[in-house]
Amino acid sequence: GQNIDQPTEMTATEGAIVQINCTYQTSGFNGLFWYQQHAGEAPTFLSYNVLDGLEEKGRFSSFLSRSKGYSYLLLKELQMKDSASYLCAAMDSNYQLIWGAGTKLIIKP
Amino acid sequence: IAGITQAPTSQILAAGRRMTLRCTQDMRHNAMYWYRQDLGLGLRLIHYSNTAGTTGKGEVPDGYSVSRANTDDFPLTLASAVPSQTSVYFCASSDSGTSLTNEQFFGPGTRLTVL
């Protein structure tokens, strides 16, 4: 079957660094997406990885290891506005996204 | 219109009633999707359309139907609503449903309660 696992909730301090992990099992693999979703709002795209390695985009970076079925999202210099849920989604062989339940990130001052 | 819109924003519906959730995008995207999001679960795909005139079933299609008469609109119909269809429904679109860089853009969602 197809499955995405990520922690339910994480807490971090403003100004710190946090890493949100995601493991996936899909029928075929065409890339890994991270989305951000603030409470009561729609998900918005953060990153896409299809090759192994780290992709950096400002304060956010995303890493992929295809052999391990593993990805992480790294958030640096945390700000209060980063409090949100972070959704991991893997694209299967039919180009459909299989979504994790999301990691709720709580930022404390 | 800028991006993707959904209507209504929220709705309370009696069980057994018919309901259509509307979704419109102005980005000329070929692919459109309907998801439901429930607490503790990931987004689950209900139906999708890779291009106008075609539709496909997702992970949880039972009790729902869609049509794609043109590029912009992708309505979702609940023929006879049941309480288990209480959820937040998101419509999304992407430039292509069959390419690697399938970034999906989401509408603001419809919160549906079936009593």
Side-chain angles (χ1 to χ4, degrees):
Chain A
Q2 307 201 100
N3 191 53
I4 308 289
D5 284 319
Q6 53 181 131
T8 302
E9 186 175 295
M10 299 182 70
T11 302
T13 304
E14 190 177 16
I17 299 173
V18 70
Q19 177 175 312
I20 302 174
N21 296 323
C22 170
T23 58
Y24 63 88
Q25 276 185 304
T26 54
S27 302
F29 179 74
N30 280 314
L32 194 290
F33 291 78
W34 285 96
Y35 280 75
Q36 181 189 59
Q37 185 177 26
H38 285 101
E41 297 183 8
T44 56
F45 171 80
L46 286 178
S47 67
Y48 170 71
N49 296 65
V50 67
L51 301 176
D52 285 355
L54 188 68
E55 295 274 347
E56 297 186 74
K57 194 185 292 185
R59 294 189 299 113
F60 293 8
S61 302
S62 55
F63 171 84
L64 177 66
S65 168
R66 295 177 66 128
S67 62
K68 295 181 179 179
Y70 167 71
S71 173
Y72 67 72
L73 181 69
L74 190 71
L75 293 75
K76 303 176 185 177
E77 302 169 16
L78 285 170
Q79 302 175 9
M80 297 304 293
K81 68 179 182 179
D82 297 329
S83 292
S85 288
Y86 291 86
L87 314 181
C88 173
M91 183 184 291
D92 68 12
S93 58
N94 294 318
Y95 301 97
Q96 300 296 345
L97 292 182
I98 310 302
W99 296 82
T103 299
K104 182 178 181 181
L105 178 62
I106 300 168
I107 310 295
K108 295 185 175 179
Chain B
I1 299 176
I4 185 164
T5 60
Q6 293 183 236
T9 302
S10 66
Q11 181 76 44
I12 299 174
L13 190 66
R17 296 295 296 269
R18 180 183 180 90
M19 175 75 192
T20 295
L21 308 185
R22 299 185 298 278
C23 175
T24 299
Q25 53 103 359
D26 67 353
M27 297 176 283
R28 307 304 295 172
H29 282 169
N30 288 304
M32 296 187 75
Y33 313 85
W34 274 106
Y35 292 96
R36 60 179 289 172
Q37 187 175 42
D38 302 290
L39 198 63
L41 299 177
L43 288 161
R44 291 184 291 169
L45 183 65
I46 304 171
H47 285 285
Y48 66 94
S49 168
N50 282 336
T51 189
T54 70
T55 62
K57 293 181 179 180
E59 179 186 356
V60 288
D62 294 343
Y64 305 95
S65 64
V66 293
S67 62
R68 186 90 184 276
N70 57 60
T71 298
D72 298 345
D73 301 300
F74 191 44
L76 176 74
T77 297
L78 290 67
S80 179
V82 295
S84 62
Q85 292 178 311
T86 294
S87 187
V88 179
Y89 291 85
F90 285 103
C91 180
S93 71
S94 65
D95 184 48
S96 169
T98 56
S99 70
L100 291 182
T101 53
N102 189 17
E103 177 187 346
Q104 295 184 11
F105 296 83
F106 285 79
T110 293
R111 184 173 297 274
L112 182 67
T113 302
V114 182
L115 301 176

